Amino acid sequence: MQRWKQYGSMAAVFSAFLAVGYWGFTATGGAVPWAKRASQALQRGVQDGGGSLVNLGRGIIVAGPIRKGGLMLEFGGIVLAFALLGLGLYVYVDRYGGFGDDERPTR
């Protein structure tokens, strides 16, 4: 793959993710509500004391807005999609030895 195609595709992917991130930021009300909640949670945590940082008996720890908003199915789908994408890329690179046509195999 030529260098300008690589840079162009990376710029396109970066700008797409930047646009989606900005949309999500504005759709949730920005940073102010999250900052207020985070400060309250930190203050409560300091007042209440603490427990163990990782408690496997509680199950998978998911952020409150995802859990309380009923978005666990969507969250699980996104996690599964990323896991399958990673596995697919691993198998592809292992099978074909890389992404570019003009590169030598690494083996």
Side-chain angles (χ1 to χ4, degrees):
M1 186 177 228
Q2 295 169 347
R3 186 172 296 201
W4 68 271
K5 287 182 182 178
Q6 288 176 342
Y7 288 142
S9 61
M10 287 305 297
V13 168
F14 178 74
S15 61
F17 282 127
L18 190 66
V20 169
Y22 179 72
W23 172 80
F25 183 77
T26 56
T28 58
V32 174
W34 293 100
K36 288 180 183 177
R37 288 185 206 149
S39 68
Q40 289 172 356
L42 286 174
Q43 290 170 357
R44 256 192 322 253
V46 169
Q47 292 169 356
D48 295 342
S52 62
L53 186 60
V54 176
N55 186 356
L56 297 178
R58 291 174 43 188
I60 298 174
I61 300 171
V62 179
I66 294 172
R67 188 178 62 248
K68 292 177 185 172
L71 298 172
M72 287 299 293
L73 185 64
E74 290 86 352
F75 179 73
I78 291 172
V79 170
L80 182 65
F82 279 130
L84 290 175
L85 177 69
L87 183 64
L89 286 174
Y90 177 77
V91 168
Y92 178 79
V93 169
D94 187 49
R95 183 173 294 169
Y96 298 108
F99 291 109
D101 296 332
D102 56 348
E103 298 176 6
R104 287 185 287 152
T106 56
R107 294 184 193 177

